[in-house]
Amino acid sequence: MSKFPQHFLWGGAIAANQVEGAWQEDGKGISTSDLQPHGIFGERVERQPGDFNIKDIAIDFYHRYPEDIRLFAEMGFTVLRISIAWTRIYPQGDEEQPCEAGLAFYDRVFDEMAKYNIAPMVTISHYEMPWGLVKNYGGWGNRNTIAFFERYARTLFERYRHKVKYWLTFNEINMSLHAPFTGVGLPEESSSQAVYQAIHHQLVASARVVKACHQIVPDGKIGNMLLGGLLYPLSCRPEDMLETLQKNREWLFFGDVQARGAYPSWASRFFKQRGVELEISEQDKIDLRETVDYISFSYYMSGCATADKEQAQARGNILNMVPNPHLPATEWGWQIDPLGLRLLLNELYDRYQKPLFIVENGLGARDKIEADGSINDDYRIAYLNDHLVQVREAIEDGVEIWGYTSWGPIDLVSASKAELSKRYGFIYVDRDDQGKGTLARKRKKSFWWYQDVIKSHGATLK
Ligand code: BG6
């Protein structure tokens, strides 16, 4: 196996609401995630004192980050993707001034990374926003949220411009189509009209923030972030082909706007068919022209599309993907497809001609602690090995890829169902779904495996 380029960045990715805990410390406001104890697809609850939400403590990264970053450094990380909790900086979302204690926390985190030469990559909004903005303004349905987000992002750029050079606007921006409350702060049952108008506001906000980053952090790079929901046709029937083209466009639409600076030509027919009429100002069109420097995305699985509506409805998963009969799946039904990653990398590079960054990829699985205390997660090693081999192939294909951050280098709370038993880490965390455990950290077999991969620049991959 040949090596990855010397400058390729290796690391892991985490998100504030899935690791930090400390949900009410140092002035933090209530976020939408704090109201989702059952995950992004679960019911939203009004919190009562004493209610259990595993994310309230999560894995306590807020207090244990020095230990965790030291472990990441031990694996050889050169990059760590984190997100900033908007509610630590602007607790309600509409304050004039930011919260100093929140800003100081991330200063400490970045300083800790700097000790080990780990470059931070920061997602400005990862699956959460201030509840205050949802309750008082209607979330992203309200145009004013663009300005609140821009103020928040500018605060981050001004504060951390010497410490952070890699930025991302919204995590999996296309996820709003499947989880509107998480993505845009709208009720789950919202109409397509409402969701797409909110998405439009978010796209404008993303472009405005890209521009602000270019002004304030001129030596930085800012990207978008897509859920890489690659679909194959279930059969080679032309109707399935057409359906696949259209379904892939539904998520690529976001990248098209963010990377090309305008709505794609097919969008007007697409919206008309759905009865959607967007309110787009002339200034919005100008704002959208500011495009991202690189495309980042998550990749866990692929799926299929079919023109057979009955079959699609009966078998489609939460992302409306129909299972591929040729692929195995995890216990959570996520189909494992390493070659799909190579296909996706080629597809995105052909489409956008911009550098790519794989900012999430990993296997959620239950781990078992052996009698001698070891955790032999060979299944995770196999999954990651096979995907990284395909990344290497894509580089050979000529795709420009800046780096790879595996999802959940340390066990964390899962986003979809708020479980801790669905583990992704190279590092085990002693905590279960009921919140029992010491929170102690322990290296799994994959820890040493990833350390070797990074040290050898991928030469140890099989
Ligand atoms: C991505 C999200 O959708 O997938 C992460 O950006 C999430 O926040 C990850 O954790 C894995 O999903 P899950 O539901 O297994 O945590």
Side-chain angles (χ1 to χ4, degrees):
M1 172 94 192
S2 55
K3 292 184 176 184
F4 281 64
Q6 287 290 327
H7 56 263
F8 190 86
L9 291 166
W10 293 95
I14 57 179
N17 73 85
Q18 294 171 261
V19 297
E20 285 178 4
W23 75 293
Q24 288 188 304
E25 260 176 71
D26 295 332
K28 181 183 169 298
I30 294 187
S31 77
T32 46
S33 168
D34 293 326
L35 305 180
Q36 294 176 298
H38 309 297
I40 62 175
F41 296 119
E43 198 198 337
R44 167 165 51 104
V45 298
E46 297 297 330
R47 291 195 69 137
Q48 304 298 332
D51 277 356
F52 176 74
N53 181 344
I54 197 153
K55 289 178 275 184
D56 293 353
I57 295 177
I59 62 159
D60 196 29
F61 181 79
Y62 195 78
H63 301 108
R64 292 167 196 249
Y65 68 88
E67 178 185 359
D68 295 342
I69 292 171
R70 184 169 51 71
L71 286 164
F72 298 150
E74 195 181 324
M75 275 186 276
F77 282 21
T78 49
V79 62
L80 177 66
R81 173 178 173 232
I82 69 163
S83 74
I84 288 184
W86 189 346
T87 48
R88 290 200 191 281
I89 314 301
Y90 288 96
Q92 298 298 318
D94 60 356
E95 294 88 346
E96 294 284 332
Q97 296 302 323
C99 169
E100 175 54 33
L103 288 167
F105 167 66
Y106 294 105
D107 263 323
R108 294 196 295 278
V109 171
F110 298 138
D111 292 346
E112 201 65 25
M113 288 187 214
K115 279 190 196 164
Y116 306 102
N117 286 322
I118 298 176
M121 170 183 265
V122 170
T123 312
I124 301 170
S125 175
H126 190 126
Y127 277 0
E128 59 182 329
M129 70 184 298
W131 171 236
L133 290 184
V134 175
K135 195 172 51 166
N136 302 324
Y137 297 87
W140 283 99
N142 188 329
R143 205 166 248 285
N144 291 328
T145 300
I146 300 174
F148 294 132
F149 183 73
E150 189 176 348
R151 181 189 295 168
Y152 159 56
R154 281 181 177 272
T155 302
L156 303 186
F157 298 147
E158 296 285 358
R159 177 78 170 217
Y160 306 123
R161 68 199 158 116
H162 299 299
K163 298 182 181 179
V164 179
K165 301 299 175 190
Y166 294 99
W167 296 90
L168 296 174
T169 54
F170 295 95
N171 182 63
E172 294 188 339
I173 187 165
N174 46 317
M175 193 60 181
S176 300
L177 297 175
H178 309 284
F181 181 69
T182 300
V184 283
L186 290 186
E188 297 303 331
E189 59 284 357
S190 300
S191 64
S192 297
Q193 170 69 34
V195 171
Y196 271 107
Q197 187 64 49
I199 285 169
H200 171 70
H201 295 151
Q202 209 167 60
L203 287 167
V204 171
S206 177
R208 290 184 64 87
V209 162
V210 168
K211 187 169 192 174
C213 183
H214 289 156
Q215 287 163 350
I216 303 169
V217 200
D219 58 343
K221 299 285 180 200
I222 183 155
N224 63 341
M225 200 298 201
L226 302 167
L227 183 159
L230 183 66
L231 290 167
Y232 306 141
L234 189 60
S235 79
C236 52
R237 285 168 59 223
E239 291 79 4
D240 279 1
M241 242 0 253
L242 181 65
E243 182 68 15
T244 306
L245 173 83
Q246 288 171 338
K247 282 262 175 292
N248 275 326
R249 277 179 168 175
E250 282 180 22
W251 67 271
L252 286 163
F253 158 78
F254 296 80
D256 292 352
V257 179
Q258 292 178 302
R260 294 168 169 167
Y263 280 55
S265 56
W266 48 264
S268 44
R269 181 175 192 187
F270 174 86
F271 287 132
K272 207 178 283 167
Q273 284 170 341
R274 285 159 181 76
V276 172
E277 264 182 71
L278 292 183
E279 187 201 293
I280 304 177
S281 72
E282 285 311 307
Q283 186 58 44
D284 290 349
K285 289 185 193 159
I286 296 169
D287 288 342
L288 286 178
R289 282 190 213 142
E290 192 82 12
T291 60
V292 291
D293 303 317
Y294 64 104
I295 311 289
S296 88
F297 65 93
S298 62
Y299 178 77
Y300 294 90
M301 60 182 146
S302 63
C304 294
T306 170
D308 177 343
K309 299 283 175 235
E310 263 175 39
Q311 208 180 159
Q313 267 198 344
R315 301 177 61 209
N317 66 11
I318 203 91
L319 301 177
N320 298 331
M321 289 171 158
V322 176
N324 185 329
H326 304 288
L327 295 175
T330 71
E331 188 186 326
W332 283 266
W334 295 23
Q335 289 202 292
I336 302 175
D337 179 15
L339 193 57
L341 179 52
R342 178 176 172 192
L343 290 166
L344 181 59
L345 285 160
N346 275 279
E347 169 72 30
L348 291 175
Y349 196 58
D350 278 355
R351 195 174 182 105
Y352 300 125
Q353 302 283 308
K354 295 209 186 227
L356 305 180
F357 210 121
I358 303 146
V359 296
E360 284 186 34
N361 172 238
L363 178 73
R366 287 180 209 280
D367 290 327
K368 181 169 163 244
I369 305 185
E370 303 296 341
D372 65 359
S374 61
I375 299 164
N376 299 311
D377 53 343
D378 292 306
Y379 35 90
R380 184 167 295 111
I381 293 173
Y383 178 100
L384 293 168
N385 178 84
D386 295 353
H387 283 77
L388 280 167
V389 165
Q390 296 304 326
V391 176
R392 183 71 192 94
E393 289 295 325
I395 294 173
E396 294 274 321
D397 290 336
V399 179
E400 185 181 355
I401 308 172
W402 283 353
Y404 175 91
T405 54
S406 79
W407 177 252
I410 182 165
D411 293 345
L412 38 68
V413 179
S414 92
S416 48
K417 295 204 179 136
E419 298 164 294
L420 249 163
S421 45
K422 186 182 188 187
R423 296 174 182 274
Y424 285 89
F426 305 115
I427 302 161
Y428 185 89
V429 176
D430 179 24
R431 190 162 198 238
D432 67 16
D433 291 340
Q434 284 70 45
K436 288 202 208 73
T438 62
L439 288 163
R441 277 57 171 156
K442 181 193 268 290
R443 297 167 187 78
K444 304 181 194 175
K445 186 174 175 184
S446 57
F447 182 98
W448 310 111
W449 169 85
Y450 199 41
Q451 187 184 58
D452 283 345
V453 170
I454 297 176
K455 206 191 306 169
S456 69
H457 296 281
T460 54
L461 293 169
K462 296 192 178 89

